[in-house]
Amino acid sequence: MSQNIPDPVGISADLLVGQKVYAIGNPFGLDHTLTTGVIREISSAATGRPIQDVIQTDAAINPGNSGGPLLDSAGNLIGINTAIYSPSGASSGVGFSIPVDTVGGIVDQLVRFGKVTRPILGIKFAPDQSAQQLGVSGVLVLDASANGPAGKAGLLPTKRDAYGRLILGDIITSVNGRKVTNGSDLYRILEQCKVGDTVTVEVLRSDHKEKIAVMLEPKPDES
């Protein structure tokens, strides 16, 4: 394949488990190497901030494959090879690729601004396990900086009263009408938003619900 001819861009949303895929790269410095496999699953990666709909494949992905294209049987670009999970440390394992539908938005930002800006609410929230122990269904706001988007919009953080008793802050139950039951739900929704978007955050405050408009801002180191 000529390096001067770009790969046609496919659509990752239509991928199916069992579909044949091809990974191209330069593993271990070996140029023009191709490995084949099938799609095993479309799922979110187990990271601190989940990536929406990661492509899992059994095509071998080695050091040097990262950043290379993942193609379908028609030669269309459907993902960018990223990493491999291998319990044994060998090349066999589960490969992960970022879907081309996700890559498109990132590339557009890089071309236009030279960097990727991610929208944030500007909150710190309780770990899911802690929220569950408190009987909370949703995302419990621990802190909302007064200068951040949520703080300026009026979201309330968790605090203690004069007697040291815990007073729960706002519990985020939905964003733009999409249900939020944990931190991963919140991340997934924000991944589909842009800096400057105004989102409607529904919170449970004491014994009643409120809807609050919040304008998303970039992370401080990305502004």
Side-chain angles (χ1 to χ4, degrees), residues 177-197:
R178 297 178 59 185
K179 187 175 182 180
V180 173
T181 58
N182 52 45
S184 293
D185 290 342
L186 182 60
Y187 278 134
R188 291 189 187 100
I189 295 170
L190 293 179
E191 284 284 348
Q192 299 176 21
C193 299
K194 301 187 296 294
V195 172
D197 286 352

Side-chain angles (χ1 to χ4, degrees), residues 21 35-40 56-61 84 91-95:
V21 292
T35 56
T36 66
V38 297
I39 293 175
R40 296 182 51 167
Q56 290 187 28
T57 174
D58 61 4
I61 295 178
I84 186 171
S91 298
S92 59
V94 179

Side-chain angles (χ1 to χ4, degrees), residues 8-41:
V9 178
I11 300 174
S12 55
D14 296 336
L15 297 178
L16 300 173
V17 172
Q19 185 172 332
K20 197 82 170 179
V21 292
Y22 304 86
I24 296 178
N26 302 316
F28 309 113
L30 302 173
D31 292 343
H32 310 301
T33 299
L34 179 144
T35 56
T36 66
V38 297
I39 293 175
R40 296 182 51 167
E41 188 177 355

Side-chain angles (χ1 to χ4, degrees), residues 135-153:
V136 170
S137 178
V139 168
L140 173 61
V141 178
L142 294 181
D143 185 45
S145 170
N147 296 322
K152 289 187 286 189

Side-chain angles (χ1 to χ4, degrees), residues 3-208:
Q3 294 181 343
N4 297 322
I5 302 176
D7 295 323
V9 178
I11 300 174
S12 55
D14 296 336
L15 297 178
L16 300 173
V17 172
Q19 185 172 332
K20 197 82 170 179
V21 292
Y22 304 86
I24 296 178
N26 302 316
F28 309 113
L30 302 173
D31 292 343
H32 310 301
T33 299
L34 179 144
T35 56
T36 66
V38 297
I39 293 175
R40 296 182 51 167
E41 188 177 355
I42 310 294
S43 65
S44 295
T47 61
R49 182 177 180 126
I51 302 171
Q52 183 73 2
D53 296 337
V54 169
I55 301 171
Q56 290 187 28
T57 174
D58 61 4
I61 295 178
N62 301 294
N65 277 112
S66 297
L70 185 73
L71 309 176
D72 62 16
S73 56
N76 297 312
L77 175 67
I78 56 173
I80 300 297
N81 302 320
T82 302
I84 186 171
Y85 172 72
S86 175
S88 67
S91 298
S92 59
V94 179
F96 296 94
S97 299
I98 306 301
V100 71
D101 296 351
T102 300
V103 171
I106 294 174
V107 170
D108 179 64
Q109 290 190 51
L110 289 174
V111 171
R112 293 172 59 191
F113 308 116
K115 59 183 179 181
V116 177
T117 56
R118 300 186 184 279
I120 61 167
L121 283 174
I123 64 171
K124 293 180 181 178
F125 57 84
D128 294 337
Q129 185 175 2
S130 299
Q132 291 171 3
Q133 291 173 347
L134 292 169
V136 170
S137 178
V139 168
L140 173 61
V141 178
L142 294 181
D143 185 45
S145 170
N147 296 322
K152 289 187 286 189
L155 266 73
L156 300 181
T158 297
K159 58 184 179 181
R160 293 188 180 277
D161 64 15
Y163 300 97
R165 293 174 297 195
L166 190 68
I167 300 176
L168 297 184
D170 287 336
I171 300 169
I172 299 174
T173 57
S174 75
V175 175
N176 284 347
R178 297 178 59 185
K179 187 175 182 180
V180 173
T181 58
N182 52 45
S184 293
D185 290 342
L186 182 60
Y187 278 134
R188 291 189 187 100
I189 295 170
L190 293 179
E191 284 284 348
Q192 299 176 21
C193 299
K194 301 187 296 294
V195 172
D197 286 352
T198 297
V199 296
T200 300
V201 180
E202 186 173 53
V203 302
L204 179 63
R205 179 175 295 176
S206 297
D207 59 352
H208 66 281

